[in-house]
Amino acid sequence: MLCLGIETSCDETAVALVENGRLLGQRLASQVDVHALFGGVVPEIASREHLRVLPGLYRALLEETGVRSEVISCIAVSRGPGLLGALLIGLSFAKGLSLAIGAPLVGVNHLHAHLLAAGLERDIPFPALGLLVSGGHTHTYAVHADHDFRLLGRTLDDAAGEAFDKAAKRLNLPYPGGKLIDDLASGTEPDHGMFPRAFIDNDSLDFSFSGLKTAVVNHVDAHPHLALPSLAGPEALAPEVRAELAVVCASFNWSVADTLRIKTERALRRVPEARALIVAGGVAANSMLRRTMTELAGRSGLELVLPSPSLCTDNAAMVACAGERLARAGFFHGLDLEAVPRGRKVPLDWVGLGA
Ligand code: KG4
Ligand code: ZN
């Protein structure tokens, strides 16, 4: 099976081709620089950028892989959750192409695609516990099959990535700041008492990160020299301030990673049949979280399924991978496939082929 994947849910426009679980090629255009000017994603600009670059990326992908559009056997498209206008660009493109070449559509849950991304690199044993940590979501799932995800816990306020980005914003680091905080923290010991690990003294599997974000904001308000001068990089800071900033970043990193560890350990007790721990989404690229989860999986006797950093952030390879798995299992959509905005549950509204 040769599956085209299309991703336009937020600020990355991407297309990829996957054949029998193997990535043939992918093209990705990031809008990060455009949105960085505004300190966050501007939905209208995101939609316009997707519209502008998607056809060119598709043509370039076909050229690069030598694949003719007529031989594509299914078209997988990220159908939500995401920005509605942005999703609609990908969906319209996918539907037009489906009509033109006669390949069936598969609408893919963007969050499930993150958790299945590692399927391009290795086998994923089921049942598994899935931890999805991205810019918009922090969810734990019991994953029983490619199409069987049962939500166990979710954030009650900010997502882990959002907390990274907002903490970074207060430090005047450019958007999205998660990777920069990770880099600045590199090699520095965290101060475990500096920031809270919120909402852990309970039985809940849900998360809360807004208090941690506020704690960083309060800390920087009390130590304003830590915020970078506007338009400057960390190299503009005196060495002792930079060292102080590194401790702030490492401590913040630790609070997020350790909170995720506590909740994941708790979730694992509710899914004793789990054979693997999947950690995915943009924040899964974080080096401290990767170390923490590697240790947790080792201690729990679970296989750790952790995609390479490039497969953690938004991409179309994961959409094609998830779509191909769904299509193999007989799950498709008609041309009435709907986009699902953030905050609405993605329906399990598959239809069989030809319906
Ligand atoms: O999954 P993703 O690419 O997009 C969404 O679907 O949201 O995740 C983006 C998020 C951003 O908040 C970004 O700051 C965060 O992932 N991120 C990181 C790292 N790389 C990306 N956070 C912490 N450490 C990183 N190395
Ligand atoms: Zn994502």
Side-chain angles (χ1 to χ4, degrees):
M1 186 171 272
L2 177 57
C3 184
L4 171 71
I6 301 172
E7 165 59 43
T8 63
S9 67
C10 190
D11 58 349
E12 321 278 355
T13 323
V15 287
L17 280 167
V18 164
E19 187 170 35
N20 302 327
R22 196 173 66 86
L23 181 63
L24 294 188
Q26 61 176 324
R27 288 275 161 156
L28 185 143
S30 175
Q31 307 172 6
V32 154
D33 292 348
V34 184
H35 298 291
L37 297 171
F38 301 91
V41 177
V42 182
E44 174 68 15
I45 295 179
S47 307
R48 288 175 188 229
E49 279 298 295
H50 291 311
L51 191 60
R52 190 175 70 78
V53 304
L54 185 52
L57 289 180
Y58 174 64
R59 270 196 305 276
L61 177 69
L62 294 191
E63 261 168 44
E64 171 199 323
T65 54
V67 165
R68 285 176 302 108
S69 53
E70 306 81 70
V71 300
I72 292 172
S73 38
C74 74
I75 301 171
V77 59
S78 195
R79 55 95 56 113
L83 301 171
L84 187 60
L87 289 165
L88 286 172
I89 306 296
L91 251 69
S92 306
F93 188 88
K95 289 178 184 181
L97 194 62
S98 169
L99 275 174
I101 65 176
L105 272 183
V106 194
V108 170
N109 181 321
H110 176 89
L111 308 179
H112 298 181
H114 271 299
L115 285 160
L116 295 174
L120 289 168
E121 300 177 322
R122 49 158 300 154
D123 271 357
I124 304 182
F126 297 122
L129 183 84
L131 170 67
L132 169 80
V133 267
S134 71
H137 299 86
T138 306
H139 285 180
T140 45
Y141 294 94
V143 190
H144 288 267
D146 295 325
H147 60 280
D148 185 350
F149 288 69
R150 302 174 198 175
L151 188 64
L152 299 172
R154 59 187 308 164
T155 183
L156 301 172
D157 40 55
D158 290 352
E162 205 174 342
F164 267 102
D165 296 339
K166 287 179 176 164
K169 193 170 185 176
R170 181 62 191 92
L171 290 163
N172 271 349
L173 297 169
Y175 173 86
K179 167 128 186 34
L180 289 163
I181 290 191
D182 191 7
D183 292 347
L184 282 165
S186 169
T188 302
E189 276 303 309
D191 172 348
H192 293 178
M194 188 174 272
F195 299 121
R197 291 168 301 165
F199 202 59
I200 54 172
D201 297 322
N202 51 39
D203 285 338
S204 172
L205 296 184
D206 291 335
F207 305 87
S208 167
F209 288 106
S210 69
L212 172 60
K213 171 197 70 187
T214 308
V216 176
V217 170
N218 290 344
H219 187 87
V220 182
D221 286 347
H223 306 83
H225 60 283
L226 286 171
L228 287 171
S230 149
L231 299 180
E235 57 290 344
L237 297 173
E240 62 281 9
V241 179
R242 202 179 155 157
E244 204 184 328
L245 179 61
V247 176
V248 169
C249 291
S251 308
F252 173 81
N253 236 331
W254 178 80
S255 285
V256 176
D258 209 51
T259 302
L260 293 169
R261 173 193 64 77
I262 290 167
K263 295 282 174 163
T264 305
E265 251 177 332
R266 191 173 294 166
L268 279 170
R269 288 199 285 276
R270 311 246 182 120
V271 193
E273 68 276 21
R275 296 168 56 208
L277 170 62
I278 311 172
V279 185
V283 182
N286 183 269
S287 44
M288 192 177 288
L289 184 62
R290 293 175 85 83
R291 282 198 302 276
T292 304
M293 290 299 161
T294 305
E295 204 217 305
L296 170 59
R299 225 174 336 110
S300 315
L302 295 172
E303 273 189 53
L304 179 67
V305 178
L306 195 54
S308 306
S310 64
L311 277 179
C312 286
T313 44
D314 285 350
N315 64 84
M318 68 183 194
V319 178
C321 172
E324 191 189 34
R325 284 165 170 253
L326 288 172
R328 274 185 188 289
F331 295 105
F332 292 93
H333 284 101
L335 288 173
D336 56 353
L337 171 67
E338 280 184 330
V340 179
R342 239 182 230 178
R344 233 184 73 197
K345 198 169 180 299
V346 179
L348 304 176
D349 54 358
W350 298 294
V351 293
L353 199 51

